[in-house]
Amino acid sequence: MVIDTISNIRQYVSLNPLIAEVADFLVSHDITSMPPGQYEIRGRELFLNVVDSQPRTESEAVIESHRIMADIQIPISSVERHGYAPLACCHYQAYDEEGDICFHHDIKPTTHFDVIPGQFVLYLPYEGHAPAISDIVLRKAIFKLIQQTK
């Protein structure tokens, strides 16, 4: 997991080369004015979901993880709270292969933190996260990147 400012996102290209394309997209598009929807950047390898997440509390948020995709999550409208569980906690029970997602109802976050507009959080595959904790409807951008192995 990485938390940083959007202006530093290129520093993390070594974690996934597609981060360079995310950085280019952020320079050429104003994500703050994009309506909710899915935006194709490079087919299923790299795309963007702009969503309005409904309010939920820390106790309502469920840890999720992915096997194939990395997430770059950027709050747009307000502060977003996240829960995090280390890789070792994320054993797979009911994995949805088509959606590349597993919900871990039996795992509680080991820590919580806030991400503010102008920052991003990067989750690599298998990292447990409970995003979109907010007391208001939260608009956010979620870049989905296939995690490339060397």
Side-chain angles (χ1 to χ4, degrees), residues 16-134:
N16 185 320
L18 292 172
I19 292 174
E21 290 186 50
V22 171
D24 292 343
F25 188 92
L26 288 168
V27 168
S28 63
H29 295 79
D30 178 9
I31 61 169
T32 64
S33 64
M34 296 174 80
Q38 188 172 93
Y39 300 86
E40 184 177 307
I41 301 170
R42 185 194 274 203
R44 298 306 298 164
E45 288 184 10
L46 173 60
F47 58 93
L48 166 64
N49 290 326
V50 176
V51 299
D52 287 335
S53 295
Q54 295 303 307
R56 62 181 174 175
T57 65
E58 287 182 7
S59 62
E60 293 170 329
V62 176
I63 292 287
E64 63 183 64
S65 62
H66 315 287
R67 287 184 181 175
I68 299 168
M69 303 299 281
D71 285 357
I72 295 176
Q73 301 194 17
I74 303 171
I76 295 172
S77 62
S78 65
V79 174
E80 176 183 14
R81 191 150 184 80
H82 288 248
Y84 176 78
L87 177 71
C89 293
C90 295
H91 52 282
Y92 279 82
Q93 297 167 4
Y95 174 67
D96 174 1
E97 189 172 344
E98 185 177 328
D100 183 40
I101 195 162
C102 182
F103 292 102
H104 306 274
H105 297 278
D106 58 331
I107 298 172
K108 297 294 179 203
T110 57
T111 191
H112 285 91
F113 58 92
D114 292 334
V115 183
I116 63 172
Q119 295 180 327
F120 71 91
V121 60
L122 165 66
Y123 293 110
L124 297 172
Y126 295 95
E127 290 186 312
H129 52 286
I133 300 168
S134 177

